Amino acid sequence: TKASLYYHYASKRDLLYAILDPIIGHLRAVVEDIDAVPHNAEGVRAVLRNYLRGMIRHRDAGVLALRDTVAIINAMTDRYPDLIDNNRIIADWLAGPDPSDAARLRANAALEVMGVALLSKELAPGADDELVETTLLDVAFGVLGSDIEP
């Protein structure tokens, strides 16, 4: 009930943070470990898989993000000022050393593909976690292009 929610969370924003904190925590963990991962096909697949599994694990929250995007964006910029930096770090790593503009665009597009996992229950309600992971990893690898072989 609404009363029991407010017993645990002082405000709607606190409830929103409780929903978003695990997603952001996962993103931070991916960034924390990224420099130790070799930049080759196996390393790229491992980073993408790790990133994607976090998105899949929290895709119930993705439906919330789809339905109330403005509130989510406002809350996220207040609470997670490093969010854009973390995404940039992953995209820079995916683009590889001395990347071209095309490699940078592909890397950012691959991360956008991963974000579909958060919306997957809304977009493909019958898709299980394995189907979401396999499909989105294949698409992200395709977006990255021929520089990285799967």
Side-chain angles (χ1 to χ4, degrees), residues 125-140:
D128 64 15
D129 291 356
E130 184 178 344
L131 177 62
V132 173
E133 180 177 323
T134 302
T135 302
L136 295 182
L137 275 175
D138 287 347
V139 172

Side-chain angles (χ1 to χ4, degrees), residues 40-123:
N40 56 30
E42 184 178 318
V44 169
R45 186 166 284 276
V47 167
L48 287 174
R49 182 179 292 114
N50 186 10
Y51 184 91
L52 179 58
R53 285 183 176 166
M55 295 296 167
I56 290 171
R57 191 168 39 252
H58 303 292
R59 63 186 174 154
D60 286 332
V63 174
L64 170 70
L66 179 65
R67 293 192 177 134
D68 200 354
T69 307
V70 174
I72 299 285
I73 291 170
N74 289 336
M76 290 177 77
T77 55
D78 289 346
R79 174 99 169 182
Y80 314 110
D82 62 336
L83 180 62
I84 293 171
D85 289 337
N86 287 334
N87 267 333
R88 184 190 46 77
I89 290 167
I90 295 171
D92 287 349
W93 186 88
L94 286 171
D98 195 30
S100 65
D101 288 340
R104 288 181 191 279
L105 289 170
R106 288 176 177 275
N108 282 282
L111 286 180
E112 290 298 318
V113 166
M114 297 289 107
V116 170
L118 285 175
L119 307 176
S120 61
K121 284 195 174 181
E122 188 82 10
L123 301 173

